[in-house]
Amino acid sequence: MSRRISVHAVFAAAAVFGLSLAGRASAQEAITIDVGALSANVCFGQASCAVDDASLSTSSGTLAQKDRNGASGFGVSGNPAGNEIGIGETLTVEVENARKVAAIQFLFLYNGSEFGSGAEKASVTADEIVYTLAVRNDVDNAEADWSGPGTVTKCGATTSQGTGCFIVTNPFPDAVSRLDFSAATAGQPFAGGGSSASDYAIGSID
């Protein structure tokens, strides 16, 4: 779709080097983990699978696709929100040799009162260091803050008609070998009651 094309256009140059194999003079071929790659490797409906040299697994349920408002991402089956990563669920991505991550696209993060959510928070543990992407609650169509060194770009509105899309470029200071995606307790919603439960999907990992 057009959004996915634009995202990859922005990061095409970065991805060539962003996933280079740490500790080697020559770069390893870059990879992108997204719905297309998971579909091509028959990952959906499986608790674990491989995409190139990356291994994906879930703590419960199976890898599943989530579509909303024209965007597609992946998460975990069995979530009340439907195929997203929620409280108590973990989606893990591992590589044998540490790689530099160029960008991560997060989808379906909202700040209330749409979908009964609060100001949602995605949590990523990179080699045992926890980082958080938190949607603000100052306006309905809000920005988000990343606790790590990366830069956050909004690629979809945090409204009921939007995709709640954010891209974090250069999210970690060093190459990593394991990423654990989970959800953190949501903050106070912009409007309405809102639930404390956060959930989201991964659009892509470059």
Side-chain angles (χ1 to χ4, degrees), residues 20-164:
S20 60
L21 185 64
R24 292 189 183 179
S26 60
Q28 181 173 335
E29 183 179 356
I31 63 172
T32 294
I33 302 172
D34 59 9
V35 165
L38 267 65
S39 180
N41 287 276
V42 197
C43 292
F44 293 126
Q46 307 297 322
S48 62
C49 79
V51 176
D52 291 327
D53 68 346
S55 298
L56 290 80
S57 60
T58 62
S59 62
S60 62
T62 62
L63 293 161
Q65 181 173 334
K66 175 61 180 275
D67 302 310
R68 173 181 285 164
N69 294 342
S72 296
F74 62 94
V76 179
S77 67
N79 183 278
N83 298 348
E84 297 188 24
I85 302 168
I87 300 292
E89 297 173 326
T90 304
L91 193 156
T92 298
V93 179
E94 295 182 273
V95 290
E96 185 175 349
N97 298 289
R99 285 176 172 262
K100 188 74 174 178
V101 178
I104 302 174
Q105 183 191 47
F106 298 83
L107 290 170
F108 316 134
L109 284 166
Y110 299 97
N111 65 351
S113 61
E114 59 280 320
F115 309 113
S117 66
E120 295 185 304
K121 299 178 183 180
S123 177
V124 184
T125 303
D127 290 345
E128 300 184 354
I129 300 176
V130 180
Y131 300 89
T132 303
L133 179 65
V135 183
R136 300 176 190 172
N137 63 357
D138 51 348
V139 294
D140 189 22
N141 185 12
E143 303 292 329
D145 299 301
W146 176 249
S147 63
T151 300
V152 180
T153 302
K154 185 165 71 173
C155 46
T158 61
T159 63
S160 60
Q161 301 304 310
T163 57

